[in-house]
Amino acid sequence: MPDAKFTEGPVARTLLAFSWPMLASSILQSLNASVNTAWVGRLLGARALTASANANSLVFFLIGTTFGLSMAANVLVGQSLGAKDLVTAKRTVGTSLAFFGALSVVFAGLGIVFAPSVLSAMHTPPDALPYASAYLRVIFLALPGMVLYTFVMTALRGAGDAKTPFAFLIASVAMDITLNPIFIRGLGPVPALGIAGSALATMVAQWVSLLAMVAWLYRRKHFLRIARGEGHYLRIDRGIVRALILKGVPMGLSVVVMSSSMIAMISLVNRFGSHMTAAYGACFQVWNYIQMPAMSLGGAVSAMAAQNVGAKQWDRVARIARVGVLISAVMTGTMVLLVSAAHHAAFAFFLGDDAEAIGIANHIHVIVSWTFIMFGISLVLGSVMRATGAVMAPLAILFVSLWVVRIPFAYALTPSMHAEALWWSYPLGSVVSLVLTVGYYRLGNWRAARMLGMRAARPRLDYRRIHREAGRRGVFWVFNRLRERTGKPEKAKGTGRFWMFMGAVDQAEPQNLPASP
């Protein structure tokens, strides 16, 4: 059964213990992408590197479309476990597995067929197009494994377990990094596959790690596993899918809003020449690491808050928010100070001995870096609100801060302030985001949001179990259950009485019912 530490244990210690494996996972995934890119570039050259960059941008977009749905499933699993409703938690897992599996297979099939056309539409350089097509076709074979692997890790985190996904991620990253040069260049009986070998290494690592993790969960008899006789949980529940789409799409759109604003910003930076763009690119790489603690903490806060929302412990939800804000501010502030203290070495790692670009990067960093403290606070509070199912207001706040404030400010004042307008747009946008987020957290109705209605949350009827229990316990037990769950049965008439009868039996506590055969 799930651990009650999220709903009963100390908040600060639990948050820190839960967030560090998520932080380490983010670092590992960044390292994996960097090393794989280095293998392709060093072993196959610039054309192959261009091909993998174009292909990966498309794959990341497709995976990003399922990101919000996975986060919605994470929240729903957490709320169900907090409410001690293991049936709804399992139904969410089963529905999500079937839905994500079907969706990823469709994406993979379409991608394999239309890969060359899509790459041409992206204006992939002609000399890199054959490499990109070969790489992408293999990656699309890996796509179902990648999507399901991500979902299983997300579901485990929603259940309060961040260490198991981290352990299997270590194995996956090690396998991917090791197999890349072997499959690219060939070794012994393994033929040289070129850029397709890099994609094959990723596919093998993802599928092997997914199957190994699922086998481990079954061996440990994890409470979220779909056990024998529980195949009905894999039937797609339209109510749960509706909730995943209605809540998950806005979560996924937040990624689109942020990524599109980054594209707009880099287009403005490009106007000031290669040194400015290189300096901004170096800053961006460093800022990714500064933001990682807050982003990992946001995931931990969301999972922990969701369980307490399900348990209706609102005082504890508020305490999670306060502690999360404090920890985020301290961790992000520490990262800013460390990078600022070693700014020359940090930027020289990306820019080499280009003194002009390093000087520009340091100037940008001084203006922008402290705003990530505000970003972390907004992220934590947004994560708490999303844990209830309130997703539209955080999305609207993000859109306003980026596309109504930051980008228009940069465009409007660039003619007079030049590049300074770009850098000062960051503090302005962050202040607006923080003020709106805190305002909505304190005054908004986010606590009234819900992930599922009662109809969607109701378990499927197990007619064999109903028949068995009615025969074993008798009709008076059934009507006693009916009185406990729905009130006086004599007030119901016709089909209404029948469905009240069915609902009462179906909602009986699992421990009072024999296991399904």
Side-chain angles (χ1 to χ4, degrees), residues 70-320:
S70 294
M71 289 303 299
N74 177 309
V75 170
L76 187 51
V77 168
Q79 286 188 6
S80 301
L81 294 178
K84 302 188 185 304
D85 184 359
L86 189 58
V87 170
T88 299
K90 280 195 169 188
R91 289 178 59 72
T92 302
V93 170
T95 294
S96 299
L97 284 172
F99 180 63
F100 291 149
L103 193 64
S104 61
V105 168
V106 170
F107 281 166
L110 293 174
I112 291 171
V113 173
F114 296 107
S117 302
V118 173
L119 289 168
S120 297
M122 293 171 61
H123 303 290
T124 304
D127 59 342
L129 190 58
Y131 291 92
S133 296
Y135 181 86
L136 202 53
R137 283 197 170 102
V138 179
I139 280 291
F140 274 122
L141 292 175
L143 189 63
M146 296 167 73
V147 170
L148 292 176
Y149 186 38
T150 300
F151 166 71
V152 173
M153 290 195 294
T154 301
L156 289 176
R157 289 168 182 153
D161 180 8
K163 293 182 179 179
T164 298
F166 176 56
F168 282 93
L169 184 64
I170 292 174
S172 173
V173 170
M175 195 182 312
D176 196 0
I177 291 175
T178 303
L179 291 178
N180 249 272
I182 295 175
F183 288 169
I184 290 173
R185 280 286 182 88
L187 180 67
V190 179
L193 300 174
I195 194 170
S198 178
L200 181 62
T202 298
M203 183 178 78
V204 170
Q206 293 284 320
W207 276 108
V208 170
S209 297
L210 170 63
L211 295 175
M213 183 160 58
V214 170
W216 184 88
L217 294 175
Y218 274 86
R219 179 171 182 152
R220 294 292 298 269
K221 299 186 184 302
H222 195 277
F223 56 85
L224 286 180
R225 78 193 190 283
I226 307 299
R228 180 179 299 178
E230 295 181 338
H232 55 281
Y233 287 129
L234 292 172
R235 300 171 192 160
I236 291 181
D237 182 281
R238 287 180 294 178
I240 291 178
V241 170
R242 181 174 180 270
L244 294 181
I245 293 174
L246 290 179
K247 304 298 183 179
V249 169
M251 293 184 191
L253 283 176
S254 65
V255 178
V256 175
V257 170
M258 286 189 289
S259 60
S260 60
S261 72
M262 289 188 290
I263 293 172
M265 185 61 69
I266 194 66
S267 68
L268 285 172
V269 175
N270 286 336
R271 299 179 181 182
F272 294 93
S274 58
H275 280 291
M276 191 73 73
T277 302
Y280 179 75
C283 286
F284 199 80
Q285 292 296 322
V286 171
W287 295 341
N288 281 337
Y289 289 95
I290 291 177
Q291 295 176 84
M292 275 185 186
M295 296 182 73
S296 301
L297 187 66
V301 163
S302 178
M304 194 169 176
Q307 289 203 21
N308 284 277
V309 169
K312 302 187 185 305
Q313 298 188 31
W314 292 103
D315 289 344
R316 189 172 171 85
V317 171
R319 191 158 67 251
I320 291 169

